[in-house]
Amino acid sequence: MERETEEAAVVARAERRRRSDAAIVAAARELFAERGFDRTTIRAVADRAGVDPGLVMQNFGSKDALFAAAARWSAPIEQLVAATRDELPAAALHHVLDAFEDPRERAAALALMRSSLTHEAARVAMRDEVLAPAQERVADTIGGPDAALRAAVLNACMLGVSISRYLLEVPALVDADTADLERILLPALERITEPIR
Amino acid sequence: MERETEEAAVVARAERRRRSDAAIVAAARELFAERGFDRTTIRAVADRAGVDPGLVMQNFGSKDALFAAAARWSAPIEQLVAATRDELPAAALHHVLDAFEDPRERAAALALMRSSLTHEAARVAMRDEVLAPAQERVADTIGGPDAALRAAVLNACMLGVSISRYLLEVPALVDADTADLERILLPALERITEPIR
DNA sequence: GTCTATATCTTGATAGAC
DNA sequence: GTCTATCAAGATATAGAC
């Protein structure tokens, strides 16, 4: 009997730990997304998660490690690899816009994006783990001598629209819906991915 | 004679003040461009300018005021208003790229751009004093119901390319020269500014 | 597992000597 | 005009009690 209660205690402890960590990561994601890395404090994360600041350090080790756990953004690139050249512009557009639909993914994406200009780890993650894989897939589908540059420009345009819409909050882009963006953006993206004349 | 030496002293004092301020603003511009608002300290600015930290506060009052003096970016929009609809894509492209040629303007532009995602004053300045005026001029030239949105998307793409190239340092964009960017980007921008079919 | 207390550092800003 | 000295606030991180 003693054995069982011990096991139960271990399970309960692990469960509590799991819940605490989940709450901490969720709170960190939100705050990093709202304020960026530098202006987000361990204390503020602990407050929002309803735990003690010391616990955050205990469980994650450092602020940088917490950021890495919270701002990891892995947009699924299946739709990107599956797309033919003709489908590429629409696939790229929705590849990005879809990321801002699911609240969790949205917060993680915003956290990484907002910090990518002022936090070195975020910049490298954005460039090498988010943009580079997408660029590679797109370049493969485009082909030709300028493929890498064309894919990079396509990426850059989608990034600029995302930043303007979700971070800078440019009115015209905030007010626009998905259909508006498709109507204006798709023809332009087609000119980037189209075969060399 | 006493009068004249007094005047000379005043002039010399004003001259020294002018030089100190210029050195401080130049140093601040560089550091804000390199590290952003939060990671730039008054002490670091003073060090690079070769003056005392106290002098920076004395002459500018606050870190925010120093940022406003250093990161003010007023890209000339004459070429943008003068452009016809056909000339608009090229004018918009060079409107941006030219800003990164002159070292002083480049540093001021980078300072504002880098901080615009994490510093509220920089975000508002970027949105309302840099993007909005350009958007207005472009929209006027484009005309039609979607003019504002089209102009905003054009702005966003140029911003995304600038951020990817100068801040994130995406290799394919860093390696590209002006001619490369024109070749890839211009046809795409034309699709944004062209008349409704 | 969780929290308290605190060490250590760094910041923006101020007061006053020179 | 410029610099020295210092304040007060806030940060991350650590050690140890519970």
Side-chain angles (χ1 to χ4, degrees):
Chain A
M1 221 40 171
E2 198 180 54
R3 176 83 186 280
E4 278 173 24
T5 53
E6 265 178 31
E7 279 174 6
V10 168
V11 169
R13 206 164 55 175
E15 175 62 14
R16 289 184 65 180
R17 163 75 188 248
R18 201 192 57 76
R19 286 193 195 176
S20 290
D21 283 3
I24 290 168
V25 167
R29 238 197 287 271
E30 288 177 17
L31 285 166
F32 284 135
E34 291 169 16
R35 312 178 187 176
F37 183 85
D38 289 320
R39 301 183 97 91
T40 296
T41 66
I42 300 284
R43 293 155 208 266
V45 171
D47 273 0
R48 187 170 295 197
V51 302
D52 189 90
L55 187 63
V56 177
M57 293 302 301
Q58 177 69 23
N59 292 7
F60 290 88
S62 73
K63 189 181 171 183
D64 276 290
L66 176 60
F67 182 80
R72 185 164 298 276
W73 179 27
S74 54
I77 52 178
E78 300 94 39
Q79 49 178 336
L80 227 45
V81 295
T84 66
R85 183 179 204 131
D86 286 346
E87 298 165 341
L88 206 51
L93 181 62
H94 287 102
H95 170 66
V96 173
L97 292 183
D98 287 356
F100 294 97
E101 293 301 315
D102 176 49
R104 248 216 288 270
E105 198 177 356
R106 176 195 177 97
L110 290 178
L112 187 62
M113 204 162 71
R114 193 182 290 279
S115 300
S116 63
L117 267 35
T118 42
H119 189 56
E120 181 61 11
R123 176 186 143 255
V124 172
M126 172 62 87
R127 190 187 62 177
D128 299 343
E129 291 169 35
V130 176
L131 296 179
Q135 180 184 319
E136 196 183 341
R137 302 303 180 277
V138 171
D140 282 349
T141 306
I142 293 181
D146 277 335
L149 179 55
R150 285 173 181 273
V153 168
L154 188 148
N155 256 347
C157 289
M158 290 313 306
L159 179 69
V161 170
S162 302
I163 287 176
S164 299
R165 191 178 198 211
Y166 300 106
L167 264 25
L168 299 179
E169 298 183 7
V170 172
L173 287 169
V174 172
D175 295 342
D177 60 23
T178 307
D180 293 329
L181 292 176
E182 278 183 355
R183 195 173 65 252
I184 310 296
L185 216 36
L186 242 37
L189 300 185
E190 283 165 8
R191 286 280 232 160
I192 297 177
T193 60
E194 76 183 359
I196 321 314
R197 286 137 293 158
Chain B
M1 219 43 168
E2 200 180 55
R3 177 80 186 281
E4 278 173 23
T5 53
E6 266 178 31
E7 279 175 8
V10 169
V11 169
R13 206 165 55 178
E15 174 63 14
R16 290 184 64 180
R17 164 74 187 251
R18 199 191 60 75
R19 286 192 194 177
S20 290
D21 283 3
I24 291 168
V25 167
R29 238 196 287 271
E30 289 178 15
L31 285 167
F32 284 135
E34 290 170 16
R35 313 177 187 177
F37 183 84
D38 288 320
R39 298 183 100 91
T40 296
T41 66
I42 300 285
R43 289 168 164 84
V45 171
D47 273 359
R48 186 169 295 197
V51 302
D52 189 89
L55 187 64
V56 177
M57 292 302 300
Q58 176 70 23
N59 291 8
F60 289 88
S62 74
K63 189 182 172 183
D64 277 289
L66 177 61
F67 182 79
R72 185 163 297 276
W73 180 27
S74 53
I77 52 177
E78 299 95 37
Q79 49 179 336
L80 226 46
V81 294
T84 66
R85 182 177 206 133
D86 287 345
E87 299 165 339
L88 207 51
L93 182 61
H94 288 101
H95 170 66
V96 172
L97 293 183
D98 287 356
F100 294 98
E101 293 300 315
D102 175 49
R104 246 214 291 268
E105 199 179 355
R106 176 193 176 98
L110 290 178
L112 187 63
M113 204 161 71
R114 192 182 292 278
S115 300
S116 63
L117 267 35
T118 43
H119 188 56
E120 181 62 12
R123 176 187 144 255
V124 172
M126 172 63 85
R127 189 187 62 177
D128 299 342
E129 291 169 35
V130 176
L131 296 179
Q135 181 184 318
E136 196 183 342
R137 303 302 181 280
V138 171
D140 282 350
T141 306
I142 294 180
D146 276 336
L149 179 55
R150 286 174 179 272
V153 168
L154 188 148
N155 256 347
C157 290
M158 292 311 306
L159 180 69
V161 170
S162 303
I163 287 176
S164 299
R165 190 180 199 210
Y166 300 106
L167 264 25
L168 299 179
E169 298 182 7
V170 172
L173 288 169
V174 172
D175 295 342
D177 60 23
T178 307
D180 293 329
L181 292 176
E182 277 184 355
R183 193 173 67 253
I184 310 297
L185 215 35
L186 242 36
L189 300 184
E190 282 165 8
R191 287 280 233 158
I192 298 177
T193 61
E194 77 184 359
I196 321 318
R197 285 137 292 157

